[in-house]
């Protein structure tokens, strides 16, 4: 199977659990880390998602470190995705153990679930970076799909294959965006997230409310940028023009975003907003 997958130019991912059983009731890897790690290496596994069910009450860091220790000395690099649901602040110890760490409980199809996970990221964005990534369960980082690709609709497929968006996610600088502004008043609720790229800046203007609204990005206040700024709409892959001081996104629909890239600027502060 691994040879077939690799022959297609793809990487081979597998699932296990830092407990006696997986969340699906199959055998887990707890206390069998050595033999399982050896097996994963022999199979040519490239990516391991390591879940957290049936843990027997043992500390998360101890159980996830055990699998990490079992892979030492092998000649195979496996991307190690820690999935303990953010229970023990894995962003604090995860960089020394794995390559990514889940920061929340499992996402579901409810809007309240999506908002809850987004809000839980506000205080931890500084912990993600090259080699170790916050994982908000399929919300932007990393690029993971949890659907049947045979049934995906054209709109979703276009978004997933959008090269402008992928280039932001895969930016070599590897710095997370952070929330720089939040407002809620009656029916109006929105926030602004910004962050640096290797060749510019990125901003997400997010309408949380139930009515369409305009959101204004202040280049200096929200990005520490000045000068004439070229704005590109990443979702629609089109230029919005050149702007000075501010840019206003018009008629962002309910629960919608405008995702833009800023270039041609001067940084006014080495820090972040």
């Amino acid at each position: 199977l691994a040879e077939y997958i690799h022959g297609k130019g793809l990487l081979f991912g597998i699932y296990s659990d830092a407990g006696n059983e997986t969340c699906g009731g199959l055998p887990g890897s707890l206390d069998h880390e050595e033999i399982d790690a050896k097996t994963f290496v022999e199979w040519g596994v490239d990516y391991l998602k390591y879940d957290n069910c049936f843990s027997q009450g043992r500390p998360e860091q101890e159980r996830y470190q055990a699998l990490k220790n079992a892979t030492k000395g092998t000649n195979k690099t496996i991307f190690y995705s820690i999935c303990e649901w953010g229970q023990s602040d894995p962003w604090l110890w995860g960089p020394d153990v794995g390559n990514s760490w889940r920061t929340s409980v499992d996402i579901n199809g409810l809007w309240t679930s999506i908002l809850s996970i987004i809000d839980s990221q506000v205080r931890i964005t500084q912990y993600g970076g090259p080699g170790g990534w916050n994982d908000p369960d399929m919300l932007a980082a990393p690029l993971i799909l949890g659907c049947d690709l045979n049934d995906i609709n054209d709109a979703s497929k276009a978004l997933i294959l959008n090269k402008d968006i992928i280039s932001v996610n895969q930016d070599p600088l590897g710095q997370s965006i952070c929330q720089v502004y939040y407002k809620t008043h009656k029916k109006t609720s929105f926030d602004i997230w910004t962050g640096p790229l290797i060749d510019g800046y990125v901003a997400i203007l997010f309408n949380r409310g139930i009515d369409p609204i305009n959101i204004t990005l202040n280049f200096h206040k929200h990005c520490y940028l000045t000068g004439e700024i070229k704005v590109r709409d990443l979702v629609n892959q089109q230029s919005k023009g050149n702007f000075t001081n501010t840019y206003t996104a018009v008629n962002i629909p309910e629960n919608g975003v405008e995702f833009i890239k800023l270039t041609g600027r001067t940084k006014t502060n080495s820090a972040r907003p």
Side-chain angles (χ1 to χ4, degrees):
L1 178 60
E3 290 177 357
Y4 174 81
I5 293 172
H6 289 148
K8 296 292 185 181
L10 302 172
L11 299 178
F12 179 23
I14 203 166
Y15 169 92
S16 190
D17 192 289
N20 287 345
E21 298 178 22
T22 69
C23 298
L26 298 174
S29 295
L30 185 63
D31 296 327
H32 297 85
E33 291 87 359
E34 293 288 340
I35 184 62
D36 284 359
K38 181 181 178 181
T39 302
F40 297 150
V41 170
E42 290 177 349
W43 286 350
V45 169
D46 303 296
Y47 179 99
L48 170 65
K49 176 181 176 179
Y50 205 44
D51 221 333
N52 194 35
C53 290
F54 301 101
S55 65
Q56 307 305 305
R58 289 158 60 174
E60 286 86 358
Q61 188 171 353
E62 170 193 303
R63 290 180 288 110
Y64 284 89
Q65 183 69 54
L67 195 282
K68 170 71 172 182
N69 293 341
T71 63
K72 290 180 179 178
T74 66
N75 59 359
K76 172 65 177 173
T77 299
I78 299 176
F79 188 103
Y80 186 16
S81 175
I82 296 168
C83 185
E84 55 82 85
W85 318 317
Q87 291 190 338
S88 64
D89 297 343
W91 44 88
L92 299 180
W93 52 266
D96 295 325
V97 179
N99 302 106
S100 69
W101 42 88
R102 275 279 297 280
T103 56
S104 68
V105 297
D106 290 352
I107 195 171
N108 61 48
L110 298 176
W111 183 240
T112 52
S113 171
I114 295 171
L115 285 180
S116 175
I117 293 176
I118 291 173
D119 290 339
S120 72
Q121 307 307 299
V122 173
R123 65 187 180 90
I124 62 171
T125 55
Q126 71 270 29
Y127 294 107
W133 309 97
N134 290 325
D135 174 9
D137 197 15
M138 295 185 282
L139 287 181
L143 291 178
I144 292 179
L145 302 178
C147 62
D148 186 342
L149 295 180
N150 293 309
D151 297 329
I152 199 165
N153 62 46
D154 289 341
S156 295
K157 184 178 179 181
L159 188 64
I160 292 164
L161 297 177
N162 185 310
K163 292 184 178 180
D164 283 3
I165 294 176
I166 292 172
S167 70
V168 170
N169 182 272
Q170 299 294 301
D171 184 72
L173 197 61
Q175 291 195 22
S176 174
I177 59 172
C178 59
Q179 188 188 71
V180 296
Y181 186 80
Y182 178 88
K183 178 181 179 180
T184 180
H185 178 69
K186 296 182 179 179
K187 291 184 179 181
T188 300
S189 180
F190 70 90
D191 42 318
I192 297 173
W193 298 68
T194 68
L197 301 172
I198 195 72
D199 61 347
Y201 229 76
V202 66
I204 295 178
L205 314 179
F206 176 27
N207 177 15
R208 296 169 175 256
I210 60 175
D211 296 317
I213 61 170
N214 300 342
I215 300 177
T216 296
L217 176 71
N218 184 299
F219 298 143
H220 176 67
K221 181 179 179 180
H222 299 142
C223 308
Y224 289 164
L225 301 178
T226 189
E228 188 174 69
I229 308 291
K230 181 179 180 180
V231 177
R232 180 172 176 80
D233 180 338
L234 298 176
V235 175
N236 295 302
Q237 297 180 293
Q238 62 185 22
S239 173
K240 305 294 284 189
N242 294 342
F243 299 84
T244 303
N245 300 324
T246 64
Y247 166 77
T248 299
V250 178
N251 254 353
I252 300 179
E254 62 174 301
N255 302 336
V257 302
E258 183 148 328
F259 189 11
I260 56 176
K261 182 176 180 179
L262 315 175
T263 55
R265 79 289 183 266
T266 300
K267 197 83 166 69
T268 63
N269 193 317
S270 58
R272 296 180 60 179

mmCIF file of all heavy atoms in Angstrom, residues 73-95:
data_model
loop_
_atom_site.group_PDB
_atom_site.id
_atom_site.type_symbol
_atom_site.label_atom_id
_atom_site.label_comp_id
_atom_site.label_asym_id
_atom_site.label_seq_id
_atom_site.Cartn_x
_atom_site.Cartn_y
_atom_site.Cartn_z
ATOM 1 N N GLY A 73 16.487 7.383 16.601
ATOM 2 C CA GLY A 73 17.450 6.418 16.091
ATOM 3 C C GLY A 73 17.029 5.745 14.804
ATOM 4 O O GLY A 73 17.796 4.966 14.233
ATOM 5 N N THR A 74 15.818 6.019 14.339
ATOM 6 C CA THR A 74 15.385 5.454 13.060
ATOM 7 C C THR A 74 15.848 6.375 11.933
ATOM 8 O O THR A 74 16.173 7.538 12.151
ATOM 9 C CB THR A 74 13.859 5.308 12.997
ATOM 10 O OG1 THR A 74 13.262 6.615 13.006
ATOM 11 C CG2 THR A 74 13.340 4.522 14.199
ATOM 12 N N ASN A 75 15.885 5.850 10.738
ATOM 13 C CA ASN A 75 16.318 6.654 9.593
ATOM 14 C C ASN A 75 15.133 7.195 8.801
ATOM 15 O O ASN A 75 15.263 7.554 7.641
ATOM 16 C CB ASN A 75 17.213 5.826 8.674
ATOM 17 C CG ASN A 75 16.518 4.578 8.151
ATOM 18 O OD1 ASN A 75 15.366 4.314 8.486
ATOM 19 N ND2 ASN A 75 17.223 3.812 7.340
ATOM 20 N N LYS A 76 13.978 7.251 9.464
ATOM 21 C CA LYS A 76 12.756 7.692 8.800
ATOM 22 C C LYS A 76 12.158 8.885 9.550
ATOM 23 O O LYS A 76 11.960 8.824 10.763
ATOM 24 C CB LYS A 76 11.731 6.552 8.748
ATOM 25 C CG LYS A 76 10.349 6.939 8.239
ATOM 26 C CD LYS A 76 10.363 7.377 6.794
ATOM 27 C CE LYS A 76 8.968 7.685 6.286
ATOM 28 N NZ LYS A 76 8.970 8.272 4.940
ATOM 29 N N THR A 77 11.893 9.962 8.828
ATOM 30 C CA THR A 77 11.235 11.127 9.416
ATOM 31 C C THR A 77 9.729 11.008 9.227
ATOM 32 O O THR A 77 9.239 10.904 8.100
ATOM 33 C CB THR A 77 11.733 12.429 8.771
ATOM 34 O OG1 THR A 77 13.145 12.551 8.996
ATOM 35 C CG2 THR A 77 11.028 13.635 9.379
ATOM 36 N N ILE A 78 9.002 11.002 10.320
ATOM 37 C CA ILE A 78 7.551 10.933 10.295
ATOM 38 C C ILE A 78 6.992 12.218 10.898
ATOM 39 O O ILE A 78 7.373 12.600 12.007
ATOM 40 C CB ILE A 78 7.033 9.720 11.089
ATOM 41 C CG1 ILE A 78 7.554 8.413 10.475
ATOM 42 C CG2 ILE A 78 5.499 9.710 11.139
ATOM 43 C CD1 ILE A 78 7.163 7.173 11.260
ATOM 44 N N PHE A 79 6.114 12.878 10.153
ATOM 45 C CA PHE A 79 5.437 14.053 10.704
ATOM 46 C C PHE A 79 4.513 13.576 11.822
ATOM 47 O O PHE A 79 3.600 12.791 11.594
ATOM 48 C CB PHE A 79 4.636 14.772 9.619
ATOM 49 C CG PHE A 79 4.067 16.100 10.058
ATOM 50 C CD1 PHE A 79 4.667 17.281 9.668
ATOM 51 C CD2 PHE A 79 2.930 16.159 10.866
ATOM 52 C CE1 PHE A 79 4.144 18.514 10.070
ATOM 53 C CE2 PHE A 79 2.409 17.372 11.283
ATOM 54 C CZ PHE A 79 3.019 18.552 10.882
ATOM 55 N N TYR A 80 4.759 14.068 13.028
ATOM 56 C CA TYR A 80 4.082 13.577 14.221
ATOM 57 C C TYR A 80 3.010 14.579 14.648
ATOM 58 O O TYR A 80 3.307 15.649 15.166
ATOM 59 C CB TYR A 80 5.126 13.384 15.319
ATOM 60 C CG TYR A 80 4.652 12.745 16.600
ATOM 61 C CD1 TYR A 80 3.452 12.051 16.686
ATOM 62 C CD2 TYR A 80 5.442 12.813 17.750
ATOM 63 C CE1 TYR A 80 3.047 11.465 17.861
ATOM 64 C CE2 TYR A 80 5.054 12.227 18.942
ATOM 65 C CZ TYR A 80 3.852 11.560 18.995
ATOM 66 O OH TYR A 80 3.450 10.977 20.174
ATOM 67 N N SER A 81 1.743 14.209 14.416
ATOM 68 C CA SER A 81 0.605 15.076 14.708
ATOM 69 C C SER A 81 -0.017 14.670 16.043
ATOM 70 O O SER A 81 -0.719 13.658 16.138
ATOM 71 C CB SER A 81 -0.434 14.969 13.584
ATOM 72 O OG SER A 81 -1.589 15.711 13.888
ATOM 73 N N ILE A 82 0.254 15.464 17.060
ATOM 74 C CA ILE A 82 -0.269 15.221 18.401
ATOM 75 C C ILE A 82 -1.734 15.644 18.449
ATOM 76 O O ILE A 82 -2.080 16.752 18.055
ATOM 77 C CB ILE A 82 0.547 16.012 19.444
ATOM 78 C CG1 ILE A 82 1.994 15.522 19.481
ATOM 79 C CG2 ILE A 82 -0.092 15.931 20.825
ATOM 80 C CD1 ILE A 82 2.927 16.427 20.260
ATOM 81 N N CYS A 83 -2.588 14.754 18.944
ATOM 82 C CA CYS A 83 -4.024 15.069 18.974
ATOM 83 C C CYS A 83 -4.587 14.779 20.363
ATOM 84 O O CYS A 83 -5.311 13.806 20.563
ATOM 85 C CB CYS A 83 -4.763 14.260 17.900
ATOM 86 S SG CYS A 83 -6.517 14.686 17.776
ATOM 87 N N GLU A 84 -4.210 15.614 21.340
ATOM 88 C CA GLU A 84 -4.749 15.428 22.697
ATOM 89 C C GLU A 84 -5.780 16.497 23.032
ATOM 90 O O GLU A 84 -6.110 16.720 24.197
ATOM 91 C CB GLU A 84 -3.625 15.352 23.732
ATOM 92 C CG GLU A 84 -2.645 16.497 23.760
ATOM 93 C CD GLU A 84 -3.156 17.706 24.538
ATOM 94 O OE1 GLU A 84 -3.016 17.759 25.745
ATOM 95 O OE2 GLU A 84 -3.726 18.611 23.880
ATOM 96 N N TRP A 85 -6.286 17.169 21.968
ATOM 97 C CA TRP A 85 -7.449 18.065 22.046
ATOM 98 C C TRP A 85 -7.191 19.333 22.864
ATOM 99 O O TRP A 85 -8.115 19.944 23.390
ATOM 100 C CB TRP A 85 -8.677 17.336 22.579
ATOM 101 C CG TRP A 85 -8.868 15.968 22.017
ATOM 102 C CD1 TRP A 85 -8.728 15.581 20.712
ATOM 103 C CD2 TRP A 85 -9.221 14.775 22.739
ATOM 104 N NE1 TRP A 85 -8.984 14.241 20.571
ATOM 105 C CE2 TRP A 85 -9.278 13.711 21.797
ATOM 106 C CE3 TRP A 85 -9.504 14.504 24.081
ATOM 107 C CZ2 TRP A 85 -9.600 12.411 22.163
ATOM 108 C CZ3 TRP A 85 -9.815 13.207 24.442
ATOM 109 C CH2 TRP A 85 -9.868 12.178 23.494
ATOM 110 N N GLY A 86 -5.918 19.702 23.025
ATOM 111 C CA GLY A 86 -5.587 20.927 23.757
ATOM 112 C C GLY A 86 -5.764 20.831 25.258
ATOM 113 O O GLY A 86 -5.779 21.849 25.955
ATOM 114 N N GLN A 87 -5.853 19.621 25.795
ATOM 115 C CA GLN A 87 -6.194 19.453 27.201
ATOM 116 C C GLN A 87 -5.072 19.853 28.154
ATOM 117 O O GLN A 87 -5.334 20.293 29.271
ATOM 118 C CB GLN A 87 -6.602 18.000 27.468
ATOM 119 C CG GLN A 87 -7.929 17.617 26.832
ATOM 120 C CD GLN A 87 -8.426 16.264 27.301
ATOM 121 O OE1 GLN A 87 -7.656 15.425 27.764
ATOM 122 N NE2 GLN A 87 -9.720 16.041 27.175
ATOM 123 N N SER A 88 -3.835 19.674 27.726
ATOM 124 C CA SER A 88 -2.715 19.952 28.642
ATOM 125 C C SER A 88 -1.789 21.031 28.078
ATOM 126 O O SER A 88 -0.574 20.967 28.274
ATOM 127 C CB SER A 88 -1.934 18.665 28.923
ATOM 128 O OG SER A 88 -1.328 18.182 27.728
ATOM 129 N N ASP A 89 -2.367 21.998 27.390
ATOM 130 C CA ASP A 89 -1.600 23.101 26.791
ATOM 131 C C ASP A 89 -0.433 22.579 25.951
ATOM 132 O O ASP A 89 0.738 22.900 26.206
ATOM 133 C CB ASP A 89 -1.065 24.045 27.867
ATOM 134 C CG ASP A 89 -2.174 24.728 28.658
ATOM 135 O OD1 ASP A 89 -3.319 24.731 28.180
ATOM 136 O OD2 ASP A 89 -1.891 25.259 29.749
ATOM 137 N N PRO A 90 -0.711 21.777 24.921
ATOM 138 C CA PRO A 90 0.377 21.149 24.166
ATOM 139 C C PRO A 90 1.244 22.140 23.410
ATOM 140 O O PRO A 90 2.360 21.787 23.007
ATOM 141 C CB PRO A 90 -0.368 20.219 23.199
ATOM 142 C CG PRO A 90 -1.713 20.863 23.024
ATOM 143 C CD PRO A 90 -2.040 21.430 24.372
ATOM 144 N N TRP A 91 0.760 23.362 23.203
ATOM 145 C CA TRP A 91 1.582 24.372 22.543
ATOM 146 C C TRP A 91 2.805 24.732 23.385
ATOM 147 O O TRP A 91 3.770 25.275 22.858
ATOM 148 C CB TRP A 91 0.750 25.614 22.249
ATOM 149 C CG TRP A 91 -0.132 26.042 23.370
ATOM 150 C CD1 TRP A 91 0.175 26.876 24.414
ATOM 151 C CD2 TRP A 91 -1.494 25.628 23.584
ATOM 152 N NE1 TRP A 91 -0.897 27.015 25.252
ATOM 153 C CE2 TRP A 91 -1.934 26.271 24.769
ATOM 154 C CE3 TRP A 91 -2.370 24.810 22.884
ATOM 155 C CZ2 TRP A 91 -3.228 26.094 25.273
ATOM 156 C CZ3 TRP A 91 -3.652 24.634 23.387
ATOM 157 C CH2 TRP A 91 -4.065 25.271 24.555
ATOM 158 N N LEU A 92 2.784 24.399 24.682
ATOM 159 C CA LEU A 92 3.928 24.676 25.552
ATOM 160 C C LEU A 92 4.988 23.582 25.465
ATOM 161 O O LEU A 92 6.185 23.872 25.524
ATOM 162 C CB LEU A 92 3.466 24.847 27.001
ATOM 163 C CG LEU A 92 2.486 25.991 27.272
ATOM 164 C CD1 LEU A 92 2.112 26.031 28.743
ATOM 165 C CD2 LEU A 92 3.089 27.321 26.838
ATOM 166 N N TRP A 93 4.570 22.324 25.333
ATOM 167 C CA TRP A 93 5.541 21.229 25.284
ATOM 168 C C TRP A 93 5.602 20.536 23.924
ATOM 169 O O TRP A 93 6.559 19.819 23.633
ATOM 170 C CB TRP A 93 5.236 20.181 26.357
ATOM 171 C CG TRP A 93 3.828 19.654 26.395
ATOM 172 C CD1 TRP A 93 2.796 20.108 27.164
ATOM 173 C CD2 TRP A 93 3.286 18.551 25.638
ATOM 174 N NE1 TRP A 93 1.648 19.370 26.939
ATOM 175 C CE2 TRP A 93 1.924 18.405 26.006
ATOM 176 C CE3 TRP A 93 3.823 17.675 24.694
ATOM 177 C CZ2 TRP A 93 1.094 17.424 25.464
ATOM 178 C CZ3 TRP A 93 2.993 16.696 24.156
ATOM 179 C CH2 TRP A 93 1.659 16.582 24.539
ATOM 180 N N GLY A 94 4.617 20.784 23.082
ATOM 181 C CA GLY A 94 4.558 20.130 21.784
ATOM 182 C C GLY A 94 5.756 20.349 20.885
ATOM 183 O O GLY A 94 6.183 19.421 20.181
ATOM 184 N N PRO A 95 6.358 21.556 20.854
ATOM 185 C CA PRO A 95 7.500 21.761 19.962
ATOM 186 C C PRO A 95 8.677 20.828 20.218
ATOM 187 O O PRO A 95 9.465 20.558 19.308
ATOM 188 C CB PRO A 95 7.890 23.226 20.244
ATOM 189 C CG PRO A 95 6.612 23.869 20.670
ATOM 190 C CD PRO A 95 5.897 22.812 21.476
#
